[in-house]
């Protein structure tokens, strides 16, 4: 079955430190990949997406992600985090030819500490 | 411009009751999606509309769940004979057009938090 895995449920990090949030997916077909952020009591907001082309994708708020087809991964990175980055981060996939529905991972809670 | 709006923001009901959740998409968006997010989980797809018709309802858990979009804009998710397990945040999203097969960004509303007692 096709699935999305976010192994880290929580990631604590100090302010100004780098962070990587991991995402892996299982698929035998091409995919579109997304990272969404959910701030407390707010809706999901798109950070970035990979559709095709360059495997390094840059998004909003200084985040970037790299698509690795051989490892079926799409890890999210930020070189220096801020307190305001504290939120829940969701990786999501659309399998091409499988419709337009997003399949989400279980999320990673990023907690930035002083 | 205005984003996706959902009403009510919170709904408390009793087991066995009927509820309706409303979604108002971004103006001009032809595609509309419903997802359900249980505590500690990522959102799960329920149903997707292209215009007035349901293009994919494979995520609806059973026949107690039904959704409509009669004029191709506002959508209502209807849940009959609610059960405690239906408690979750129900999210709505819209996109410009699904014609490109999933490439369009889905914009999410703030959700309706449903609690079934």
């Amino acid at each position: 079955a096709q699935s999305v895995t976010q192994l880290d449920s929580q990631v604590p990090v100090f302010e100004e430190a780098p962070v990587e949030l991991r995402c892996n997916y299982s698929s035998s077909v091409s995919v579109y990949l997304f990272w969404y952020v959910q701030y407390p009591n707010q809706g999901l907001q798109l950070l970035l997406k990979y559709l095709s082309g360059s495997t390094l994708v840059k998004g909003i708020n200084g985040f970037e992600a790299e698509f690795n087809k051989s490892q079926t991964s799409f890890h999210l990175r930020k070189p220096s985090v801020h307190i305001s980055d504290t939120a829940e981060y969701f990786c999501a996939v659309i399998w091409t030819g499988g419709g337009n529905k997003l399949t989400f991972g279980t999320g990673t809670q990023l907690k930035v500490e002083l | 411009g205005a984003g996706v709006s959902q009403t009510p923001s919170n709904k408390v009901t009793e087991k066995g009751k009927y509820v309706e959740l409303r979604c108002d998409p971004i103006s001009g968006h032809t595609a509309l999606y419903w997802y359900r997010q249980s505590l500690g989980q990522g959102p799960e797809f329920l149903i997707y509309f292209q215009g007035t018709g349901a293009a994919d309802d494979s995520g609806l858990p059973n026949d107690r769940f039904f959704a409509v979009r009669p004029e191709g804009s506002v959508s209502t998710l209807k849940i009959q004979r609610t059960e405690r397990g239906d408690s979750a945040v129900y999210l709505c999203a819209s996109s410009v057009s699904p014609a490109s097969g999933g490439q369009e960004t889905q914009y999410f509303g703030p959700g309706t938090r449903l609690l079934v007692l």
Side-chain angles (χ1 to χ4, degrees):
Chain A
Q2 296 166 324
S3 63
V4 180
T5 302
Q6 293 181 249
L7 285 174
D8 305 307
S9 60
Q10 293 186 32
V11 174
V13 63
F14 288 109
E15 192 173 27
E16 298 184 4
V19 70
E20 178 180 83
L21 306 183
R22 297 181 293 168
C23 173
N24 288 86
Y25 64 93
S26 63
S27 179
S28 58
V29 299
S30 297
V31 296
Y32 300 134
L33 296 157
F34 306 79
W35 275 99
Y36 279 85
V37 61
Q38 189 173 37
Y39 298 103
N41 300 315
Q42 294 187 29
L44 291 160
Q45 180 182 3
L46 181 71
L47 276 177
L48 48 79
K49 62 182 179 182
Y50 170 80
L51 303 178
S52 65
S54 173
T55 57
L56 183 62
V57 180
K58 293 190 183 297
I60 62 172
N61 301 339
F63 283 94
E64 63 181 31
E66 186 156 19
F67 169 55
N68 187 318
K69 186 175 181 180
S70 63
Q71 297 187 6
T72 59
S73 68
F74 190 56
H75 301 332
L76 181 71
R77 302 187 185 99
K78 187 169 182 178
S80 176
V81 296
H82 190 267
I83 285 286
S84 60
D85 293 323
T86 295
E88 186 94 21
Y89 291 79
F90 291 95
C91 179
V93 175
I94 288 179
W95 281 276
T96 57
N100 300 314
K101 53 191 174 187
L102 287 161
T103 298
F104 287 86
T106 51
T108 297
Q109 175 66 44
L110 176 65
K111 184 174 182 182
V112 181
E113 303 168 347
L114 292 172
Chain B
V4 177
S5 62
Q6 293 186 246
T7 55
S9 54
N10 291 280
K11 176 71 177 178
V12 180
T13 190
E14 294 179 344
K15 180 175 176 294
K17 299 290 188 182
Y18 168 84
V19 296
E20 290 189 351
L21 312 179
R22 176 188 167 108
C23 172
D24 205 334
I26 293 172
S27 178
H29 282 194
T30 60
L32 185 146
Y33 310 80
W34 284 99
Y35 294 83
R36 177 170 71 174
Q37 186 174 15
S38 300
L39 194 63
Q41 301 296 316
E44 292 179 307
F45 170 80
L46 295 176
I47 186 170
Y48 139 62
F49 287 89
Q50 165 56 12
T52 60
D56 183 352
D57 64 358
S58 61
L60 294 177
N62 52 59
D63 61 5
R64 295 187 297 106
F65 288 74
F66 190 71
V68 295
R69 196 186 184 199
E71 298 178 354
S73 179
V74 171
S75 175
T76 304
L77 178 66
K78 308 179 180 192
I79 310 174
Q80 299 177 322
R81 304 183 304 280
T82 52
E83 299 178 356
R84 292 193 180 89
D86 299 334
S87 296
V89 177
Y90 289 81
L91 299 169
C92 177
S94 69
S95 66
V96 173
S97 168
S100 51
Q103 297 186 35
E104 298 292 339
T105 296
Q106 295 182 28
Y107 296 88
F108 283 80
T112 293
R113 190 174 300 273
L114 175 66
L115 177 61
V116 182
L117 300 176

